[in-house]
Amino acid sequence: MGLAVAVMTPMAQASGVGVVDLEGVVENSTYLNQQNASFQQRIKPQTTKIEQLSKELEALQQKAQSNTKLSDAEKQKMTAQYHAKFQELNQLQQSVQGTVQGSIQQIRGVFDARVKQVAEQLRQENKLDVVLNKNTALAYDAKYDLTDKMIQKVNAIK
């Protein structure tokens, strides 16, 4: 009985819990949308080149399959062209993938720091003990949902 009282006392003194829909924050983040648009523009030349090389490889393959009367020299030339373009495509894809991964890590790090900063700010402003991701709560009262405030504050950070 004494243990139950000792456990219940801190709970009774709790200021409260807030919840935030992190998916909603991500979807409505002006920072993430701006970073995505900027990133897409930055890699557009490479993705355009990847598309071009893919089409060229497909055309070479179709040409080789449809021309059964090619000389050995022509076959070797087409094979060399195909391998050169294929290697260029692979190198470009690897380069873009590395760029994507690095950018995602950098953007995510900045965004995570912003979300944590705002969560702590909301926790203090609302005198809460904890702010949880809405998806980890099995049930909660909608009055504890801080998602809209979180979105506004995260978007306000420059």
Side-chain angles (χ1 to χ4, degrees):
M1 182 89 151
L3 180 59
V5 171
V7 170
M8 296 289 284
T9 304
M11 289 181 166
Q13 295 173 351
S15 301
V17 174
V19 294
V20 174
D21 178 7
L22 286 179
E23 287 179 30
V25 175
V26 168
E27 289 171 8
N28 292 290
S29 167
T30 55
Y31 170 76
L32 290 178
N33 290 333
Q34 289 169 346
Q35 292 299 311
N36 185 45
S38 172
F39 180 72
Q40 292 297 328
Q41 286 296 345
R42 216 169 48 240
I43 65 167
K44 188 173 177 85
Q46 291 95 338
T47 56
T48 301
K49 182 68 174 173
I50 287 171
E51 290 170 9
Q52 175 192 346
L53 286 169
S54 295
K55 288 177 183 175
E56 289 174 10
L57 285 169
E58 188 177 323
L60 279 172
Q61 192 173 21
Q62 287 176 353
K63 184 177 178 183
Q65 289 173 350
S66 65
N67 275 336
T68 55
K69 298 179 183 179
L70 293 174
S71 69
D72 286 343
E74 290 172 321
K75 286 179 185 177
Q76 286 179 341
K77 182 179 176 184
M78 286 182 69
T79 300
Q81 286 176 335
Y82 185 87
H83 286 298
K85 287 187 185 299
F86 188 76
Q87 189 173 19
E88 183 182 358
L89 175 66
N90 279 338
Q91 289 173 345
L92 191 54
Q93 286 174 328
Q94 289 175 0
S95 173
V96 169
Q97 184 177 358
T99 301
V100 167
Q101 289 174 344
S103 292
I104 287 172
Q105 287 178 338
Q106 187 270 332
I107 291 167
R108 184 175 183 174
V110 170
F111 185 72
D112 286 351
R114 289 178 178 198
V115 167
K116 288 176 183 175
Q117 174 188 346
V118 171
E120 178 60 23
Q121 186 180 12
L122 287 171
R123 187 191 70 76
Q124 290 176 6
E125 288 174 0
N126 293 285
K127 297 179 176 59
L128 301 173
D129 292 320
V130 67
V131 176
L132 300 172
N133 182 350
K134 176 179 169 177
N135 296 328
T136 61
L138 296 176
Y140 64 92
D141 190 326
K143 70 182 179 184
Y144 298 115
D145 191 334
L146 302 170
T147 303
D148 291 338
K149 290 179 183 177
M150 172 74 84
I151 291 168
Q152 289 173 349
K153 288 181 178 283
V154 167
N155 286 343
I157 297 174
K158 299 295 177 202

